[in-house]
């Protein structure tokens, strides 16, 4: 089955229902007629109507099941090899030690002599592309390839990627399990390479595997490399040699070890370290006096590391400087959305009150001015929420893989996503760990999307349609992550009612308009272990009390009307947070849950 047909199956398997043919064509960059032809061929290869079609709705998998792609692949294997018939001719000639006639090649490859002659011109062009290999032809003798054993092995390695049918000329009795050997070697090498900080890319890994299989194959046929006296001391080469000996019973020669080392040194590697949208906050803010002090105070008092980039830190400090000048000159801003901002971002307001105001000499920032500072803090807090962990599994070369990762990073920026990239053999080797540790898995490989239900197939280009697809999947995964986090929070921290005695004490203390009196009342009369308390009006008649404590809780109650800072209050929300929860996630949950139940917070 062609890769494009596998991509069509992967797209249909990742959809919940019908998919229009035009949508499939747009994702794959092909015409609608090509989509229709490929779907017809898929159904023919599978022997059943694996894909249903509807003129009005489009296409979908029958009964939500995947067609047997392995059987379809087996049915089309011979035609795949024939697509590169020149490779069949070259591979046959590489295993000849002398001249071979066109008649003999035709007999071995089960074709006519005219077919061989028709492809020899292309063979003559292809052979010199590897090292110093030459294609020679002589009347009365036939044809042959003259090349060093190293170049012969490199050519065989390339041809193995083209699915050439080695069983045609090697003989079923000797190498009827060549593909099985490749699969076994893939598993062995994956265990060795997957632990590298920068493992080889998918194509490089395939080249190394093929080179080892070809080396074993040619050595068994009597084609050997020039002898070398000393063994290779490279750690990874020694590990590979030991694994090959254990798996296949074949011992590398010293020359083969050095050829393997040379090949590995020339192969591309992939940087699999996570790439997050976050930067270290203290390093960025190191040049900003007030911002650096504010960040340090937030971390010491509230246990939160706020993340500021350079642009945001500079704008925040300039805004605070201009605010102080306005307050000193008696100019006051009027807040248009102060109440709404306070209700949406209670943690940001809390940090401004207990961490920024002491740095400004203990002055209380007017509500309107605080409302203008809230976006600076809330934006930084968004970057503190648990990031979406995204894994990109790709066998593309390093350049294309980086383009795909940059595209995902760009789409994930709004949800503070962390993107990690691995080749498919590393993912397959540790699939259970990756499926458990990552929230979203994307791949450019159709066979992985078919093999793993959680893997989502994407393109490796950054065109508009592909970006929209990636962004939608990321946002969907972000919502699912938030839903699970809220369910866990709801189980651990349900909304409780404030005790009547505590409510009475709070009402009397709040009526004084002094937050220190409220703090003292809660600590002494209510025996609550709290610190760093702030009070804010978050609605027409709702007062929120936020404090750090030894345990996290969310409490709410209706009470007798009382006056706080000239405002009439009838509701009280008491939110306590501690080190046992992530404050950013906790306040986001508190805001959503209280508003869901009809409370203003």
């Amino acid at each position: 089955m062609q890769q494009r047909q596998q991509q069509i199956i992967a797209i249909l398997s990742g959809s919940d229902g019908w998919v229009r043919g035009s949508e499939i064509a747009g994702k794959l960059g092909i015409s609608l007629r090509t989509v229709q032809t490929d779907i017809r061929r898929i159904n023919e290869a599978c022997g059943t109507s694996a894909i249903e079609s509807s003129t009005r709705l489009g296409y979908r998998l029958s009964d939500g099941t995947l067609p047997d792609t392995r059987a379809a692949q087996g049915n089309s294997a011979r035609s795949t090899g024939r697509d590169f018939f020149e490779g069949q001719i070259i591979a046959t000639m590489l295993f000849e030690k002398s001249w071979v006639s066109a008649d003999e090649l035709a007999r071995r490859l089960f074709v006519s002599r005219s077919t061989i002659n028709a492809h020899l011109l292309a063979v003559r062009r292809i052979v010199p592309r590897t090292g110093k290999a030459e294609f020679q032809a002589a009347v009365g003798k036939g044809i042959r390839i003259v090349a060093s054993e190293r170049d012969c092995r490199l050519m065989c390695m390339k041809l193995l990627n083209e699915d050439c049918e080695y069983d045609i000329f090697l003989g079923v009795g000797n190498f009827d399990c060549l593909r099985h050997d490749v699969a076994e070697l893939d598993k062995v090498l994956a265990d060795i390479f997957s632990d590298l900080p920068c493992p080889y890319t998918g194509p490089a890994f395939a080249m190394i595997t093929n080179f080892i299989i070809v080396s074993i194959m040619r050595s068994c046929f009597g084609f050997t490399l020039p002898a070398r006296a000393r063994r290779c001391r490279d750690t990874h080469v020694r590990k590979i040699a030991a694994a090959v000996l254990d798996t296949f019973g074949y011992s590398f020669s010293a020359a083969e070890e050095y050829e393997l080392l040379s090949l590995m040194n020339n192969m591309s590697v992939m940087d699999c370290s996570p790439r997050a949208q976050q930067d270290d906050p203290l390093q960025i803010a190191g040049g900003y006096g007030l911002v650096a002090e504010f960040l340090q105070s937030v971390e010491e008092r509230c246990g939160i590391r706020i993340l500021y980039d350079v642009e945001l830190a500079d704008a925040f400090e300039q805004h605070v400087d201009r605010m102080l000048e306005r307050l000193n000159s008696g100019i006051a801003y009027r807040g248009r959305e102060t109440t709404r901002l306070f209700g949406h971002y209670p943690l940001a307001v809390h940090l401004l009150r207990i961490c920024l105001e002491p740095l400004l000499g203990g002055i209380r920032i007017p509500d309107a001015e605080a409302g203008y500072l809230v976006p600076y803090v809330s934006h930084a807090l968004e970057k503190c929420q648990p990031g979406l962990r995204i894994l990109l599994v790709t066998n593309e070369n390093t350049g294309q893989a980086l383009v795909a990762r940059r595209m995902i990073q760009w789409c994930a920026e709004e949800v503070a996503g962390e993107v990690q990239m691995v080749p498919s053999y590393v993912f397959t080797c540790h699939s259970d760990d990756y499926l458990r540790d990552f929230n979203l898995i994307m791949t450019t490989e159709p066979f992985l999307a078919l093999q793993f239900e959680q893997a989502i197939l994407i393109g490796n280009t950054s065109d508009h349609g592909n970006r929209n697809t990636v962004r939608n999947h990321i946002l969907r995964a972000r919502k699912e992550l938030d839903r699970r986090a809220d369910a866990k929070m709801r189980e651990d921290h349900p909304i409780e009612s404030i005790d009547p005695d505590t409510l009475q004490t709070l009402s009397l203390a709040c009526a004084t308009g002094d937050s220190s009196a409220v703090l003292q009342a809660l600590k002494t009369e209510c025996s609550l272990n709290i610190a760093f308390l702030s009070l804010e009006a978050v609605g027409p008649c709702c007062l929120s009390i936020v404090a750090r404590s030894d345990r996290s809780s969310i409490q709410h109650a209706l009470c007798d009307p009382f006056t706080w800072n000239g405002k009439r209050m009838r509701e009280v929300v008491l939110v306590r947070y501690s080190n046992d929860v992530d404050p950013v996630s906790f306040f986001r949950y508190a805001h959503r849950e209280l508003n869901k139940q009809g409370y203003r917070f």
Side-chain angles (χ1 to χ4, degrees):
M1 182 175 293
Q2 297 179 359
Q3 183 179 15
R4 189 178 64 231
Q5 295 171 357
Q6 291 184 348
Q7 289 176 324
I8 291 175
I9 297 174
I11 291 172
L12 294 176
S13 66
S15 175
D16 296 331
W18 295 89
V19 181
R20 294 185 178 277
S22 58
E23 182 179 346
I24 299 176
K27 289 183 177 180
L28 300 182
I30 58 179
S31 66
L32 181 59
R33 182 175 292 277
T34 303
V35 172
Q36 296 168 348
T37 302
D38 282 342
I39 290 177
R40 185 178 68 253
R41 289 176 177 174
I42 291 172
N43 287 335
E44 291 174 354
C46 295
T48 60
S49 296
I51 299 178
E52 297 179 3
S53 62
S54 169
T55 306
R56 185 172 60 88
L57 301 175
Y59 302 96
R60 71 174 181 182
L61 295 178
S62 300
D63 301 326
T65 58
L66 293 176
D68 189 349
T69 56
R70 290 174 298 180
Q73 181 70 28
N75 294 335
S76 61
R78 184 166 297 276
S79 63
T80 301
R82 294 293 179 188
D83 290 340
F84 185 54
F85 189 71
E86 294 83 0
Q88 298 292 121
I89 298 176
I90 294 172
T92 306
M93 295 175 63
L94 286 173
F95 282 86
E96 292 292 332
K97 295 184 178 180
S98 60
W99 298 87
V100 60
S101 66
D103 290 333
E104 179 64 17
L105 284 177
R107 186 186 65 81
R108 292 189 184 183
L109 298 178
F110 305 102
V111 295
S112 65
R113 178 174 178 171
S114 60
T115 302
I116 296 294
N117 291 331
H119 288 84
L120 285 183
L121 184 61
V123 171
R124 186 186 294 271
R125 292 196 307 266
I126 294 173
V127 170
R129 296 174 184 172
T130 303
K132 298 181 179 180
E134 296 181 11
F135 177 87
Q136 295 181 352
V139 178
K141 293 183 178 180
I143 56 177
R144 69 175 180 177
I145 294 177
V146 179
S148 65
E149 177 57 22
R150 180 177 183 275
D151 289 342
C152 288
R153 295 191 178 198
L154 289 176
M155 277 191 281
C156 287
M157 175 184 67
K158 296 175 183 178
L159 294 174
L160 200 57
N161 284 331
E162 301 292 340
D163 287 331
C164 288
E165 298 165 3
Y166 283 93
D167 59 312
I168 291 179
F169 55 91
L170 295 180
V172 177
N174 290 324
F175 284 95
D176 57 344
C177 296
L178 177 63
R179 284 299 173 191
H180 177 266
D181 291 343
V182 173
E184 286 296 316
L185 187 59
D186 281 346
K187 296 178 183 178
V188 172
L189 295 186
D191 291 333
I192 298 175
F193 291 154
S194 61
D195 294 330
L196 296 177
C198 294
Y200 293 101
T201 61
F205 178 80
M207 295 283 276
I208 295 172
T209 302
N210 291 345
F211 184 82
I212 294 173
I213 289 295
V214 166
S215 296
I216 298 174
M217 185 165 56
R218 288 191 64 83
S219 296
C220 291
F221 273 82
F223 299 92
T224 59
L225 290 167
R228 296 190 61 157
R230 298 181 59 184
R231 288 278 182 178
C232 180
R233 297 182 179 181
D234 183 79
T235 303
H236 294 102
V237 171
R238 301 305 306 163
K239 287 183 179 180
I240 293 173
V244 169
L245 181 61
D246 292 341
T247 306
F248 302 103
Y250 177 81
S251 178
F252 279 138
S253 65
E256 288 173 332
E257 290 179 352
Y258 278 101
E259 286 296 331
L260 178 60
L261 177 62
S262 175
L263 179 68
M264 291 169 58
N265 288 338
N266 292 330
M267 291 292 102
S268 300
V269 296
M270 179 180 292
D271 183 6
C272 293
S273 57
R275 287 292 184 271
Q277 305 298 333
Q278 303 173 350
D279 298 301
D280 184 76
L282 296 180
Q283 287 183 357
I284 286 181
Y288 300 87
L290 178 64
V291 174
E293 293 178 9
F294 176 61
L295 296 179
Q296 184 176 359
S297 177
V298 169
E299 186 169 0
E300 291 176 354
R301 292 190 167 202
C302 305
I304 305 173
R305 296 191 70 197
I306 292 185
L307 302 175
Y308 269 128
D309 56 36
V310 175
E311 182 181 9
L312 191 63
D314 185 62
F316 178 67
E317 184 158 320
Q318 290 184 19
H319 192 113
V320 172
D321 290 340
R322 291 194 298 270
M323 179 194 71
L324 293 176
E325 293 179 2
R326 287 194 297 271
L327 295 179
N328 291 332
S329 61
I331 301 175
Y333 267 175
R334 295 184 59 185
R336 297 180 179 179
E337 299 183 344
T338 303
T339 301
R340 184 187 65 83
L341 288 171
F342 281 17
H344 274 77
Y345 307 105
L347 180 57
V349 180
H350 176 67
L351 297 181
L352 290 173
R353 295 301 187 199
I354 67 173
C355 298
L356 182 61
E357 287 182 351
L359 299 177
L360 303 179
I363 65 171
R364 178 174 175 83
I365 302 175
D367 289 354
E369 291 285 359
Y372 286 105
L373 292 175
V374 163
Y376 295 102
V377 183
S378 62
H379 179 75
L381 288 174
E382 289 293 328
K383 293 182 175 293
C384 296
Q385 63 179 333
L388 189 67
R389 300 198 67 197
I390 304 173
L391 180 69
L392 171 62
V393 186
T394 179
N395 282 342
E396 300 290 350
N397 60 51
T398 305
Q400 290 177 312
L402 287 175
V403 169
R405 183 170 69 178
R406 290 294 297 272
M407 176 189 64
I408 295 176
Q409 285 177 317
W410 181 81
C411 295
E413 185 174 3
E414 56 190 282
V415 293
E418 172 191 298
V419 183
Q420 186 171 342
M421 180 172 61
V422 296
S424 63
Y425 70 89
V426 175
F427 174 79
T428 304
C429 187
H430 303 288
S431 58
D432 292 339
D433 296 334
Y434 285 123
L435 292 173
R436 182 188 65 247
D437 297 339
F438 284 84
N439 309 114
L440 180 62
I441 297 176
M442 295 183 170
T443 180
T444 59
E445 310 306 318
F447 73 93
L448 279 179
L450 295 173
Q451 185 178 355
F452 296 93
E453 183 180 355
Q454 299 91 329
I456 298 172
L457 181 68
I458 63 170
N460 60 358
T461 60
S462 57
D463 59 88
H464 181 71
N466 199 31
R467 287 200 304 267
N468 284 340
T469 301
V470 171
R471 186 185 298 108
N472 291 337
H473 284 300
I474 289 175
L475 294 178
R476 195 176 299 123
R478 177 76 253 182
K479 290 180 180 179
E480 177 62 19
L481 180 64
D482 291 342
R483 187 192 65 79
R484 293 181 181 180
D486 284 354
K488 184 67 169 59
M489 286 284 187
R490 194 176 298 111
E491 180 182 347
D492 297 339
H493 307 287
I495 297 180
E496 305 169 349
S497 297
I498 301 177
D499 179 78
D501 295 336
T502 303
L503 183 61
Q504 181 66 23
T505 302
L506 279 176
S507 300
L508 295 176
C510 289
T512 64
D514 185 3
S515 58
S516 60
V518 178
L519 175 62
Q520 188 64 25
L522 290 174
K523 294 178 65 173
T524 57
E525 299 182 32
C526 302
S527 301
L528 297 180
N529 184 15
I530 61 175
F532 308 123
L533 176 142
S534 65
L535 293 86
E536 299 296 336
V538 294
C541 56
C542 182
L543 179 69
S544 75
I545 304 173
V546 178
R548 192 174 185 183
S549 179
D550 57 346
R551 61 179 291 265
S552 301
S553 68
I554 305 172
Q555 296 174 288
H556 177 273
L558 298 174
C559 60
D560 295 333
F562 66 90
T563 302
W564 180 81
N565 280 359
K567 300 176 182 178
R568 199 72 167 168
M569 300 295 169
R570 293 196 302 269
E571 299 179 39
V572 175
V573 175
L574 175 59
V575 179
R576 295 186 291 160
Y577 65 96
S578 62
N579 293 331
D580 63 343
V581 297
D582 171 52
V584 178
S585 301
F586 181 70
F587 274 87
R588 189 179 63 248
Y589 155 73
H591 168 72
R592 285 202 290 253
E593 195 67 14
L594 286 169
N595 280 271
K596 187 186 300 181
Q597 298 189 21
Y599 305 137
R600 297 297 300 271
F601 183 70

